[in-house]
Amino acid sequence: MKDHFKERSTRTYRQKQLFTKAELEERESVCVHEQPAFCTAACPLKLDAREFVRLVGIGDIKTARAMLERIAPFPYILASGCHSPCVSKCRLSEVSEGISIGALERYVMANAPAPAGKGLLKFKKKKKAAVFGGSLFALAVAGEMANKSYPTTFYVAESEAADIIRSCASFLSDGDMETETKRLLAMDIDIIYNSQLGASFIDSLKDKFDLVFASSELLGEKPDQITLINSSGIITDSGNNKEVIDSLFDARRAGITADRLAQSLDPKSSRGDEGPFESRLYTDLSEVIPSSQIAENEGYTKEEAIAEASRCIQCACTECMKACIYLREFKRHPRLLTREIYNNTGIIMGDHTLNRAMNSCSLCKQCSVTCPFGYDMADICQKARANMVDTDKLSLAVHEFALLDMLFSNSEAFLSMLPPDKENCEYVFFPGCQAGAVSPETIIKSYADLRERLTGDIALMLGCCGAIAHWAGRTELYDEMKDFIKSEMAKLNNPKIIAGCPTCRNTLSEYLDVPVIGIWDILSDLGLPENTEKASGKAVIQDACAARCDSETQDKIRDLTKKLGYTVSEPQNTKDRCSCCGYGGLVSYANRDMAKDMANDRLKGVSDELNLTYCMACSDRFKREGADSKHILELIYGTAKDGFADISEKRKNRLTLKQSLLSDVWGINVLDEVLDFELKISDEARIIMDDRMILESDIIAVMKDYHINKEAVYDVKTELSIATKRIGNVSFWVKFTSEGENAYNVVGAYSHRMTISKRGR
Amino acid sequence: MSDDKKTYYSIDPEDKLYCSKCNELMVKADCAFAYLDNEFPVEMPVCPVCGLVYVPEDLAIGKVLSVEKVLEDK
């Protein structure tokens, strides 16, 4: 059997691809967070209208203007002439009126300062361009080519620049017309006025140029609708232009064709996404307050523009992040997080900076419910962990305590027994490792109740289903746990399983071929035991994340809660949308702060109420955060206690439970190990031990050694002795005082994973 | 070698630490921490007789822990 607890070396250089490129892209594409806003997708020129409106809203019209200057060679023509296809696609138009983006563009062009200087020095390109015609397309394409630094000659019929602008954009105000005329004259364009535009004129000149553009109406022919190249090799407008934006869009596309041709590349391929498209973005409109457009009149004032821009809801899909504190704290939407975790698994040498993020997901799958498209971050994080375990890149330190705890549950604390004096059974009760650790009395009473009221013989199995190994990404260890439980089940002749824990139920039913039900299913049928104390008041149902999308279980728990006498209250994220308490996915081991935040997030607004759970880990985690939390079985069997068990008690509880059951139910007495010295551990030391994940059994092991060989360090200043022992991958140090030869008072403990040894000589 | 030594992380026994078993005053000696195939030379309090090495609490939960964490993400 493989040694799962051998420390890895940081000098092994192995790599295994987490996903194929296609699978990665497929997974990422589920997340629409990076999809453009609907207004942006509707704009043929791809103006990031959401950002533009945001900038206007915060008063940064200089940057907003720069956005317009970038997408159109003549931005005043764009601002005044565009019929704003974006407005009808604005999601606000579904509840009220879309943002008046056109009016905001006009406001920006009228009020923002013109950019100073000419920008970066650009070298002239070698290919020469000629543009024929007085249409808006021709004007725009001349501007496009000049901006792209092609030596450009512009043949027009007009006799002066102002006439060109007037004939192309008659809708401009006198002032704007003058500005755009100046802009045309300032461009590096050789304008040939009074040209006799026509097919023969173009034909006579076209061979002198590398790239020739003309209005399609001059040639009476529509070009190829992708490249805009006509049968004579001339680039023209599409011939379908109805709106100003169509001409500007054609000029943009003509520019792309020109670039491809200038580089001797196929003008049809690698053009990128062109033109308007349907955005896949999801935007929740449920909380949007309807509002009307502000009338433009003579153009917006500053206040009007800001007010109009402030109506924008800044469409974005953050459905998963609204519910998941993990995604919020790591400030990444699933698409980005997936890419970064994928990259993290691929690092052969160096820091795996995303390990913490990968290990901080509770694997609760809340995102797969809150995401409108069902993104499953849990699956990605679990697979990434398993990948890094496979390549020896995931440190054992992160999950070792939990894995050893699982092995403890399935060795020293494990118990599998047929009912007393029976050779066979119909059921086996599998309460789960956390129930034994947190509330052993509940198991004793529930097992007794099941045996009394349920028809059919019931065996008992105390152990771990193996979920811990799966969460840690330890695939081989998980397989071993599965084989172990399978073999133990076979010894009982594979009875039906009654699980006490929703996670156990899911995990066991995944790999066993026997029916697995929850104890809540049985209690729902049998009703509450007669001696159950009736309660009153409100109980906040804190669903188990393992019961997500299992309305039957959720309903039965609510039904049992009502039978107990409580009125049912629902927290903010409830049923299928509930998040994790911080135990799932071993978050509480990998990132304690995150686990605390997860628990507190669930308790937000209800921490003073009775939080009723049906997962022992949940009630333990909530209690640790100071909330009143009880497991439904504790309420049914009257076994609820104040306070919570520390990590040592959790182990001791499982051992004591095993001993009590063996003795009381099967009449088998197991003797406790008796130490041949007295050991006291102070309360302060116990708090430190819980915080540092040091078990009482670790302390005992150190002190047993000391008791025999007396190896320790004595500090004369503190008058404390400090003994040490290496157990597995950890060196434990115990600080104590001695009372005579046979009694020790432990006052502190610490540990480290590094080994220390003498060097040289 | 002596120049290199000066850069070692060093803990002085300050004449206050004794090895309980040997009843000897602990002395500063060359030691090495090792973790995940990486080694770090240090000077730690050591019993001159039995060679017991002492790692003080502050060091274990401070520097040692932080170096462990860095290596764990390598």
Side-chain angles (χ1 to χ4, degrees), chain A residues 8 35 37 68 154 157 277 306 311 323 365 461 468 511 522 561 587 593 617 655 688-689 698 727:
Chain A
R8 70 198 180 99
Q35 282 280 307
L68 297 178
F154 188 20
F277 62 98
I306 289 175
R311 290 176 56 232
K365 290 187 186 278
M461 195 182 288
I468 288 172
Y511 65 81
I522 303 281
T561 307
V587 185
D593 292 340
L655 285 180
I688 290 171
M689 284 160 57
D698 300 325
I727 305 171

PDB file of all heavy atoms in Angstrom, chain A residues 8 35 37 68 154 157 277 306 311 323 365 461 468 511 522 561 587 593 617 655 688-689 698 727:
ATOM      1  N   ARG A   8       6.635  15.265   0.245  1.00  0.00           N
ATOM      2  CA  ARG A   8       7.107  15.358  -1.132  1.00  0.00           C
ATOM      3  C   ARG A   8       8.433  16.130  -1.162  1.00  0.00           C
ATOM      4  O   ARG A   8       8.864  16.666  -0.131  1.00  0.00           O
ATOM      5  CB  ARG A   8       6.068  16.083  -1.985  1.00  0.00           C
ATOM      6  CG  ARG A   8       5.984  17.527  -1.638  1.00  0.00           C
ATOM      7  CD  ARG A   8       4.747  18.201  -2.111  1.00  0.00           C
ATOM      8  NE  ARG A   8       4.821  19.587  -1.692  1.00  0.00           N
ATOM      9  CZ  ARG A   8       5.203  20.594  -2.481  1.00  0.00           C
ATOM     10  NH1 ARG A   8       5.474  20.379  -3.745  1.00  0.00           N
ATOM     11  NH2 ARG A   8       5.281  21.819  -2.012  1.00  0.00           N
ATOM     12  N   GLN A  35     -18.462  38.678 -20.833  1.00  0.00           N
ATOM     13  CA  GLN A  35     -19.211  39.032 -22.041  1.00  0.00           C
ATOM     14  C   GLN A  35     -19.443  40.538 -22.044  1.00  0.00           C
ATOM     15  O   GLN A  35     -19.675  41.143 -20.991  1.00  0.00           O
ATOM     16  CB  GLN A  35     -20.568  38.319 -22.041  1.00  0.00           C
ATOM     17  CG  GLN A  35     -20.506  36.862 -22.443  1.00  0.00           C
ATOM     18  CD  GLN A  35     -20.436  36.690 -23.952  1.00  0.00           C
ATOM     19  OE1 GLN A  35     -21.258  37.215 -24.685  1.00  0.00           O
ATOM     20  NE2 GLN A  35     -19.432  35.979 -24.409  1.00  0.00           N
ATOM     21  N   ALA A  37     -21.286  44.145 -22.433  1.00  0.00           N
ATOM     22  CA  ALA A  37     -22.649  44.586 -22.112  1.00  0.00           C
ATOM     23  C   ALA A  37     -23.468  44.580 -23.402  1.00  0.00           C
ATOM     24  O   ALA A  37     -22.915  44.609 -24.504  1.00  0.00           O
ATOM     25  CB  ALA A  37     -22.596  45.974 -21.497  1.00  0.00           C
ATOM     26  N   LEU A  68     -14.243  57.791 -27.892  1.00  0.00           N
ATOM     27  CA  LEU A  68     -14.908  58.086 -29.170  1.00  0.00           C
ATOM     28  C   LEU A  68     -13.883  58.402 -30.253  1.00  0.00           C
ATOM     29  O   LEU A  68     -14.014  57.986 -31.402  1.00  0.00           O
ATOM     30  CB  LEU A  68     -15.874  59.266 -29.006  1.00  0.00           C
ATOM     31  CG  LEU A  68     -17.042  59.044 -28.037  1.00  0.00           C
ATOM     32  CD1 LEU A  68     -17.900  60.306 -27.936  1.00  0.00           C
ATOM     33  CD2 LEU A  68     -17.912  57.874 -28.505  1.00  0.00           C
ATOM     34  N   PHE A 154      -6.751  61.284 -51.501  1.00  0.00           N
ATOM     35  CA  PHE A 154      -8.214  61.297 -51.437  1.00  0.00           C
ATOM     36  C   PHE A 154      -8.729  62.127 -52.617  1.00  0.00           C
ATOM     37  O   PHE A 154      -8.522  63.332 -52.678  1.00  0.00           O
ATOM     38  CB  PHE A 154      -8.622  61.914 -50.092  1.00  0.00           C
ATOM     39  CG  PHE A 154     -10.090  61.843 -49.783  1.00  0.00           C
ATOM     40  CD1 PHE A 154     -10.948  60.942 -50.421  1.00  0.00           C
ATOM     41  CD2 PHE A 154     -10.638  62.698 -48.808  1.00  0.00           C
ATOM     42  CE1 PHE A 154     -12.298  60.887 -50.095  1.00  0.00           C
ATOM     43  CE2 PHE A 154     -11.983  62.641 -48.490  1.00  0.00           C
ATOM     44  CZ  PHE A 154     -12.812  61.735 -49.142  1.00  0.00           C
ATOM     45  N   ALA A 157     -14.768  65.263 -55.715  1.00  0.00           N
ATOM     46  CA  ALA A 157     -15.309  66.150 -56.741  1.00  0.00           C
ATOM     47  C   ALA A 157     -15.383  67.581 -56.226  1.00  0.00           C
ATOM     48  O   ALA A 157     -15.357  68.540 -56.999  1.00  0.00           O
ATOM     49  CB  ALA A 157     -16.695  65.653 -57.152  1.00  0.00           C
ATOM     50  N   PHE A 277     -23.439  41.805 -32.323  1.00  0.00           N
ATOM     51  CA  PHE A 277     -23.791  40.410 -32.045  1.00  0.00           C
ATOM     52  C   PHE A 277     -24.631  40.371 -30.765  1.00  0.00           C
ATOM     53  O   PHE A 277     -24.774  41.388 -30.085  1.00  0.00           O
ATOM     54  CB  PHE A 277     -22.526  39.554 -31.912  1.00  0.00           C
ATOM     55  CG  PHE A 277     -21.630  39.958 -30.777  1.00  0.00           C
ATOM     56  CD1 PHE A 277     -21.679  39.293 -29.556  1.00  0.00           C
ATOM     57  CD2 PHE A 277     -20.752  41.016 -30.917  1.00  0.00           C
ATOM     58  CE1 PHE A 277     -20.872  39.677 -28.501  1.00  0.00           C
ATOM     59  CE2 PHE A 277     -19.935  41.415 -29.858  1.00  0.00           C
ATOM     60  CZ  PHE A 277     -19.994  40.742 -28.655  1.00  0.00           C
ATOM     61  N   ILE A 306     -24.752  63.718 -16.159  1.00  0.00           N
ATOM     62  CA  ILE A 306     -24.405  62.826 -15.039  1.00  0.00           C
ATOM     63  C   ILE A 306     -25.648  62.080 -14.569  1.00  0.00           C
ATOM     64  O   ILE A 306     -25.605  60.873 -14.302  1.00  0.00           O
ATOM     65  CB  ILE A 306     -23.741  63.623 -13.891  1.00  0.00           C
ATOM     66  CG1 ILE A 306     -22.333  64.047 -14.342  1.00  0.00           C
ATOM     67  CG2 ILE A 306     -23.670  62.799 -12.602  1.00  0.00           C
ATOM     68  CD1 ILE A 306     -21.589  64.944 -13.383  1.00  0.00           C
ATOM     69  N   ARG A 311     -28.244  56.620 -14.467  1.00  0.00           N
ATOM     70  CA  ARG A 311     -29.341  55.654 -14.584  1.00  0.00           C
ATOM     71  C   ARG A 311     -28.814  54.278 -14.992  1.00  0.00           C
ATOM     72  O   ARG A 311     -29.483  53.266 -14.831  1.00  0.00           O
ATOM     73  CB  ARG A 311     -30.347  56.111 -15.640  1.00  0.00           C
ATOM     74  CG  ARG A 311     -31.175  57.337 -15.246  1.00  0.00           C
ATOM     75  CD  ARG A 311     -32.074  57.765 -16.412  1.00  0.00           C
ATOM     76  NE  ARG A 311     -32.908  56.667 -16.850  1.00  0.00           N
ATOM     77  CZ  ARG A 311     -33.020  56.237 -18.113  1.00  0.00           C
ATOM     78  NH1 ARG A 311     -32.345  56.835 -19.078  1.00  0.00           N
ATOM     79  NH2 ARG A 311     -33.794  55.224 -18.415  1.00  0.00           N
ATOM     80  N   ALA A 323     -23.613  35.455  -3.989  1.00  0.00           N
ATOM     81  CA  ALA A 323     -23.931  34.439  -2.984  1.00  0.00           C
ATOM     82  C   ALA A 323     -22.691  33.845  -2.329  1.00  0.00           C
ATOM     83  O   ALA A 323     -22.724  33.439  -1.179  1.00  0.00           O
ATOM     84  CB  ALA A 323     -24.757  33.323  -3.626  1.00  0.00           C
ATOM     85  N   LYS A 365     -20.747  23.565  -4.332  1.00  0.00           N
ATOM     86  CA  LYS A 365     -21.523  23.634  -5.586  1.00  0.00           C
ATOM     87  C   LYS A 365     -22.659  24.649  -5.555  1.00  0.00           C
ATOM     88  O   LYS A 365     -23.605  24.561  -6.346  1.00  0.00           O
ATOM     89  CB  LYS A 365     -22.063  22.247  -5.981  1.00  0.00           C
ATOM     90  CG  LYS A 365     -20.962  21.292  -6.436  1.00  0.00           C
ATOM     91  CD  LYS A 365     -21.544  20.019  -6.981  1.00  0.00           C
ATOM     92  CE  LYS A 365     -20.448  19.009  -7.301  1.00  0.00           C
ATOM     93  NZ  LYS A 365     -19.825  19.226  -8.592  1.00  0.00           N
ATOM     94  N   MET A 461     -22.315   1.027  11.984  1.00  0.00           N
ATOM     95  CA  MET A 461     -20.960   1.250  11.478  1.00  0.00           C
ATOM     96  C   MET A 461     -20.531   2.665  11.828  1.00  0.00           C
ATOM     97  O   MET A 461     -21.130   3.638  11.364  1.00  0.00           O
ATOM     98  CB  MET A 461     -20.881   1.021   9.964  1.00  0.00           C
ATOM     99  CG  MET A 461     -19.437   0.889   9.476  1.00  0.00           C
ATOM    100  SD  MET A 461     -19.277   0.667   7.694  1.00  0.00           S
ATOM    101  CE  MET A 461     -19.862  -1.000   7.461  1.00  0.00           C
ATOM    102  N   ILE A 468     -13.467  12.967   2.990  1.00  0.00           N
ATOM    103  CA  ILE A 468     -12.316  13.816   3.324  1.00  0.00           C
ATOM    104  C   ILE A 468     -11.168  13.615   2.336  1.00  0.00           C
ATOM    105  O   ILE A 468     -10.552  14.576   1.866  1.00  0.00           O
ATOM    106  CB  ILE A 468     -11.887  13.550   4.791  1.00  0.00           C
ATOM    107  CG1 ILE A 468     -12.939  14.161   5.724  1.00  0.00           C
ATOM    108  CG2 ILE A 468     -10.490  14.101   5.077  1.00  0.00           C
ATOM    109  CD1 ILE A 468     -12.765  13.830   7.187  1.00  0.00           C
ATOM    110  N   TYR A 511     -20.556   5.102  -4.398  1.00  0.00           N
ATOM    111  CA  TYR A 511     -19.702   3.946  -4.666  1.00  0.00           C
ATOM    112  C   TYR A 511     -20.213   2.611  -4.136  1.00  0.00           C
ATOM    113  O   TYR A 511     -19.572   1.587  -4.322  1.00  0.00           O
ATOM    114  CB  TYR A 511     -18.254   4.204  -4.197  1.00  0.00           C
ATOM    115  CG  TYR A 511     -18.011   4.372  -2.715  1.00  0.00           C
ATOM    116  CD1 TYR A 511     -17.916   3.254  -1.880  1.00  0.00           C
ATOM    117  CD2 TYR A 511     -17.825   5.621  -2.157  1.00  0.00           C
ATOM    118  CE1 TYR A 511     -17.662   3.399  -0.530  1.00  0.00           C
ATOM    119  CE2 TYR A 511     -17.574   5.782  -0.806  1.00  0.00           C
ATOM    120  CZ  TYR A 511     -17.488   4.666   0.014  1.00  0.00           C
ATOM    121  OH  TYR A 511     -17.228   4.809   1.349  1.00  0.00           O
ATOM    122  N   ILE A 522     -36.299   8.015   7.675  1.00  0.00           N
ATOM    123  CA  ILE A 522     -36.911   7.058   8.603  1.00  0.00           C
ATOM    124  C   ILE A 522     -37.783   7.797   9.620  1.00  0.00           C
ATOM    125  O   ILE A 522     -38.931   7.437   9.852  1.00  0.00           O
ATOM    126  CB  ILE A 522     -35.804   6.273   9.370  1.00  0.00           C
ATOM    127  CG1 ILE A 522     -34.869   5.560   8.398  1.00  0.00           C
ATOM    128  CG2 ILE A 522     -36.412   5.341  10.407  1.00  0.00           C
ATOM    129  CD1 ILE A 522     -35.394   4.282   7.811  1.00  0.00           C
ATOM    130  N   THR A 561     -39.009  19.660  11.806  1.00  0.00           N
ATOM    131  CA  THR A 561     -38.834  20.856  12.647  1.00  0.00           C
ATOM    132  C   THR A 561     -40.195  21.330  13.167  1.00  0.00           C
ATOM    133  O   THR A 561     -40.339  21.681  14.341  1.00  0.00           O
ATOM    134  CB  THR A 561     -38.152  21.978  11.844  1.00  0.00           C
ATOM    135  OG1 THR A 561     -36.953  21.452  11.280  1.00  0.00           O
ATOM    136  CG2 THR A 561     -37.813  23.174  12.718  1.00  0.00           C
ATOM    137  N   VAL A 587     -11.963  23.447   3.993  1.00  0.00           N
ATOM    138  CA  VAL A 587     -11.553  24.856   4.069  1.00  0.00           C
ATOM    139  C   VAL A 587     -11.031  25.197   5.456  1.00  0.00           C
ATOM    140  O   VAL A 587     -10.060  25.936   5.597  1.00  0.00           O
ATOM    141  CB  VAL A 587     -12.742  25.797   3.746  1.00  0.00           C
ATOM    142  CG1 VAL A 587     -12.271  27.235   3.712  1.00  0.00           C
ATOM    143  CG2 VAL A 587     -13.367  25.426   2.430  1.00  0.00           C
ATOM    144  N   ASP A 593      -9.355  31.445   8.207  1.00  0.00           N
ATOM    145  CA  ASP A 593     -10.092  32.713   8.156  1.00  0.00           C
ATOM    146  C   ASP A 593     -11.262  32.630   7.187  1.00  0.00           C
ATOM    147  O   ASP A 593     -12.346  33.154   7.438  1.00  0.00           O
ATOM    148  CB  ASP A 593      -9.156  33.860   7.731  1.00  0.00           C
ATOM    149  CG  ASP A 593      -8.119  34.144   8.806  1.00  0.00           C
ATOM    150  OD1 ASP A 593      -8.360  33.745   9.967  1.00  0.00           O
ATOM    151  OD2 ASP A 593      -7.073  34.740   8.487  1.00  0.00           O
ATOM    152  N   ALA A 617     -21.250  18.900  11.174  1.00  0.00           N
ATOM    153  CA  ALA A 617     -20.159  19.842  10.924  1.00  0.00           C
ATOM    154  C   ALA A 617     -20.694  21.268  10.943  1.00  0.00           C
ATOM    155  O   ALA A 617     -20.059  22.175  11.481  1.00  0.00           O
ATOM    156  CB  ALA A 617     -19.485  19.538   9.595  1.00  0.00           C
ATOM    157  N   LEU A 655     -13.736   7.628  20.474  1.00  0.00           N
ATOM    158  CA  LEU A 655     -13.265   6.420  21.169  1.00  0.00           C
ATOM    159  C   LEU A 655     -14.224   6.025  22.279  1.00  0.00           C
ATOM    160  O   LEU A 655     -14.578   4.857  22.431  1.00  0.00           O
ATOM    161  CB  LEU A 655     -11.870   6.657  21.764  1.00  0.00           C
ATOM    162  CG  LEU A 655     -10.698   6.672  20.786  1.00  0.00           C
ATOM    163  CD1 LEU A 655      -9.400   6.917  21.542  1.00  0.00           C
ATOM    164  CD2 LEU A 655     -10.612   5.362  20.006  1.00  0.00           C
ATOM    165  N   ILE A 688      -4.497  26.663  23.296  1.00  0.00           N
ATOM    166  CA  ILE A 688      -3.374  26.743  22.356  1.00  0.00           C
ATOM    167  C   ILE A 688      -3.331  25.487  21.471  1.00  0.00           C
ATOM    168  O   ILE A 688      -3.133  25.558  20.254  1.00  0.00           O
ATOM    169  CB  ILE A 688      -2.042  26.908  23.130  1.00  0.00           C
ATOM    170  CG1 ILE A 688      -1.971  28.304  23.759  1.00  0.00           C
ATOM    171  CG2 ILE A 688      -0.837  26.682  22.217  1.00  0.00           C
ATOM    172  CD1 ILE A 688      -0.803  28.491  24.709  1.00  0.00           C
ATOM    173  N   MET A 689      -3.549  24.335  22.103  1.00  0.00           N
ATOM    174  CA  MET A 689      -3.496  23.069  21.354  1.00  0.00           C
ATOM    175  C   MET A 689      -4.556  23.030  20.260  1.00  0.00           C
ATOM    176  O   MET A 689      -4.297  22.616  19.129  1.00  0.00           O
ATOM    177  CB  MET A 689      -3.705  21.885  22.308  1.00  0.00           C
ATOM    178  CG  MET A 689      -2.485  21.562  23.166  1.00  0.00           C
ATOM    179  SD  MET A 689      -2.939  20.596  24.627  1.00  0.00           S
ATOM    180  CE  MET A 689      -3.728  19.170  23.908  1.00  0.00           C
ATOM    181  N   ASP A 698      -1.083  13.514  21.058  1.00  0.00           N
ATOM    182  CA  ASP A 698       0.294  13.915  20.725  1.00  0.00           C
ATOM    183  C   ASP A 698       1.065  14.248  22.007  1.00  0.00           C
ATOM    184  O   ASP A 698       2.227  13.864  22.177  1.00  0.00           O
ATOM    185  CB  ASP A 698       0.297  15.149  19.806  1.00  0.00           C
ATOM    186  CG  ASP A 698      -0.423  14.883  18.488  1.00  0.00           C
ATOM    187  OD1 ASP A 698      -0.328  13.748  17.981  1.00  0.00           O
ATOM    188  OD2 ASP A 698      -1.079  15.808  17.976  1.00  0.00           O
ATOM    189  N   ILE A 727       6.427  12.868  15.562  1.00  0.00           N
ATOM    190  CA  ILE A 727       5.361  11.913  15.267  1.00  0.00           C
ATOM    191  C   ILE A 727       4.949  12.131  13.814  1.00  0.00           C
ATOM    192  O   ILE A 727       4.425  13.183  13.456  1.00  0.00           O
ATOM    193  CB  ILE A 727       4.133  12.108  16.193  1.00  0.00           C
ATOM    194  CG1 ILE A 727       4.564  12.052  17.665  1.00  0.00           C
ATOM    195  CG2 ILE A 727       3.056  11.078  15.897  1.00  0.00           C
ATOM    196  CD1 ILE A 727       3.479  12.436  18.657  1.00  0.00           C
TER     197      ILE A 727
END
